[in-house]
Amino acid sequence: MKTIAIAFLAAALPGLAAADVIVTAPWARASILVSRPGAAYLTLTSDTGDRLIAVKTPAADRAMLHGTETDADGVSRMAHIEALDLSPGETVTLAPGGMHLMLMGLAAKLEEGASFPLILRFESAGEVAVDVPVLGVAATGPEGEE
Ligand SMILES: [Cu+2]
């Protein structure tokens, strides 16, 4: 009986740790061509503070965090962000025109109405999986992604 109780407790721990980061409102824009990278957005909150260190999805060969910078000429460019620090209690929103998750080498077009799993890896919370719904092509697409 004692053995069973310990095994149950150990199995429950990763789930408790993952709850330290709350991932809300994930979405992606539908893609017209499979040859173009896709983009996904979401909101992150950590009560204790954490660090997003990796992103992966079966929907693409590679997923990475990008920031958007606008230079003096008003031209926006994307820059790879290696890791994203989350301050305790702070909410970070990824949105078109700003930070986004770039999905390179899509396995298939992102079809409106479909959804795909996305796994976010945090330094403390470990892996957090979310289901990302695909919204319409015209839904406020990110700037400079063409
Ligand atoms: Cu990008």
Side-chain angles (χ1 to χ4, degrees):
M1 197 62 204
K2 194 175 179 184
T3 313
I4 293 165
I6 291 164
F8 174 77
L9 194 67
L13 285 174
L16 292 173
D20 287 347
V21 177
I22 299 158
V23 183
T24 50
W27 69 281
R29 187 182 55 164
S31 57
I32 301 164
L33 296 169
V34 71
S35 56
R36 297 270 173 80
Y41 311 93
L42 41 76
T43 298
L44 301 169
T45 308
S46 171
D47 284 345
T48 51
D50 210 326
R51 191 170 161 91
L52 176 64
I53 50 175
V55 187
K56 63 182 176 182
T57 174
D61 290 338
R62 211 150 53 102
M64 57 170 67
L65 180 64
H66 276 178
T68 305
E69 295 162 353
T70 305
D71 67 18
D73 301 322
V75 178
S76 64
R77 286 189 181 82
M78 300 188 296
H80 179 209
I81 298 170
E82 294 283 347
L84 175 65
D85 285 310
L86 301 170
S87 302
E90 184 194 8
T91 295
V92 177
T93 302
L94 278 60
M99 278 191 290
H100 53 278
L101 299 171
M102 190 108 275
L103 312 175
M104 330 279 270
L106 291 175
K109 281 199 309 183
L110 299 178
E111 301 277 4
E112 184 176 356
S115 67
F116 58 89
L118 186 77
I119 298 112
L120 302 148
R121 191 145 55 87
F122 297 93
E123 209 165 67
S124 303
E127 291 192 341
V128 178
V130 289
D131 199 47
V132 182
V134 180
L135 304 185
V137 160
T140 54
E143 312 251 343
E145 301 282 78
E146 294 304 306

